[in-house]
Amino acid sequence: MDNRAEVREFLTSRRAKITPERAGLPSGSRRRVPGLRRSEVAALADVSVEYYAKLERGNLAGVSPAVLEAVARALQLDDAERAHLLNLAHAADGSDALTRPRRRTAQWKAHRSLQWVLDAVTAGPAFVRNGRMDLLAANDLARAFYADIYASAGNQANLARFQFLDPASRRFYPDWEQAADIAVAILRTEAGRSPHDKGLHDLVGELSTRSDDFRTRWGAHNVRHHGTGTKRFHHAAVGDLTLAYEGLEMAAAPGLTLTIYTAEPGSASEEGLRLLASWAATSQTLAPHSRG
């Protein structure tokens, strides 16, 4: 992924989203571009138009933190977008190679104590994923929860492949469009954080080639922090589930996230998870006989 192109497209897409009214500027009547003009962003960031134009051409190498912060304020970036801009700047001047661990997450395997932790979570799905959305470790309930993903070898235990290439995802995610937006934003955030990840490059290339839905979203350059929230699912075995999730960054394995899904106590979804656990236990009991 060309860093200069990433920077150019990210900055221009953010500028296009800010209306003059939102920035506290007169709108005028002869605007040929959506959002703000370069000159307006430059004025808001207190830099020259020439300097801002250089940044928007993709040249972030050597830009000071103060200027990056001023541009972030001018473009009204949220926390995830601001972090993405800093990651792009680090990649532009090579400092990401010095500050980021070079972990081969594709070969990473859960330490047995981590698997014990996952297995100790019995009331909800618990799993570890990387920034490419590979499922790296899971408890029994998570394996049952994501049965559709594990059922197809083509998904390669990857949430993004399942989202965009497996028709079963349309049933599993009742709010498919929202789930698709989130998946691409996670991958776009990872692209800024790990610009030299060949596995990520290959995944993005595959999804861009095979999915119009992915390609359109990738071009929007949206990023997000995905730490907590609520999602709706439809599981083939137990029906509709509304689950809260918490994503925890793993201090012992930078770049990996431990996610736990839970249901509101006393809700139908809590009962659904209990049924799912029973279904999973039954499936495991029957599996040896079915392999006979």
Side-chain angles (χ1 to χ4, degrees):
M1 299 175 189
D2 180 2
N3 177 259
R4 292 174 67 92
E6 287 287 300
V7 172
R8 180 175 64 251
E9 293 168 13
F10 178 67
L11 289 177
T12 54
S13 68
R14 298 313 94 173
R15 177 164 60 86
K17 294 178 68 174
I18 305 297
T19 63
E21 293 83 1
R22 184 173 161 189
L25 299 172
S27 60
S29 58
R30 301 186 61 183
R31 288 188 169 267
R32 293 176 293 179
V33 296
L36 298 180
R37 301 183 178 100
R38 288 193 187 92
S39 59
E40 292 169 330
V41 176
L44 290 168
D46 197 24
V47 298
S48 70
V49 176
E50 293 77 13
Y51 188 76
Y52 179 74
K54 183 187 79 167
L55 301 185
E56 203 170 273
R57 285 195 296 271
N59 189 356
L60 287 186
V63 178
S64 72
V67 169
L68 291 172
E69 183 58 32
V71 169
R73 285 196 305 270
L75 294 174
Q76 300 183 24
L77 303 186
D78 62 23
D79 289 344
E81 291 168 329
R82 180 179 281 101
H84 188 63
L85 179 62
L86 293 177
N87 285 332
L88 292 175
H90 291 159
D93 61 25
S95 61
D96 66 313
L98 300 175
T99 60
R100 299 198 181 279
R102 309 314 298 168
R103 178 176 296 277
R104 295 180 178 270
T105 54
Q107 300 175 4
W108 180 89
K109 292 188 181 302
H111 189 274
R112 61 178 185 168
S113 62
L114 174 59
Q115 190 62 55
W116 295 342
V117 170
L118 293 172
D119 292 340
V121 180
T122 58
F127 59 93
V128 174
R129 67 161 178 83
N130 59 20
R132 296 194 301 270
M133 303 186 74
D134 296 315
L135 294 172
L136 302 177
N139 65 1
D140 287 342
L141 200 48
R143 284 187 284 271
F145 180 68
Y146 284 129
D148 283 342
I149 296 176
Y150 290 113
S152 172
N155 292 327
Q156 300 178 47
N158 180 273
L159 293 167
R161 279 194 184 90
F162 173 69
Q163 177 79 50
F164 290 100
L165 303 182
D166 192 329
S169 73
R170 299 277 180 170
R171 182 197 67 226
F172 185 68
Y173 297 111
D175 304 313
W176 190 91
E177 299 286 341
Q178 180 187 55
D181 291 343
I182 291 172
V184 175
I186 289 173
L187 292 181
R188 179 60 83 176
T189 301
E190 181 66 10
R193 184 185 298 120
S194 303
H196 309 299
D197 185 338
K198 183 180 183 301
L200 179 61
H201 290 206
D202 292 345
L203 176 63
V204 169
E206 176 189 358
L207 296 180
S208 296
T209 300
R210 299 178 61 187
S211 170
D212 292 339
D213 288 306
F214 177 86
R215 187 166 55 252
T216 299
R217 286 171 169 82
W218 186 253
H221 287 264
N222 292 327
V223 294
R224 66 175 286 149
H225 289 156
H226 192 62
T228 185
T230 302
K231 294 182 182 178
R232 295 196 307 136
F233 304 93
H234 181 85
H235 193 279
V238 300
D240 293 335
L241 297 168
T242 298
L243 304 177
Y245 64 88
E246 293 289 337
L248 310 173
E249 295 295 324
M250 297 178 58
L256 304 187
T257 302
L258 168 61
T259 300
I260 301 174
Y261 282 107
T262 56
E264 181 180 353
S267 66
S269 293
E270 184 184 48
E271 177 60 23
L273 287 181
R274 281 197 289 266
L275 290 173
L276 182 61
S278 176
W279 177 81
T282 302
S283 298
Q284 289 178 345
T285 300
L286 296 177
H289 302 287
S290 65
R291 288 195 295 267

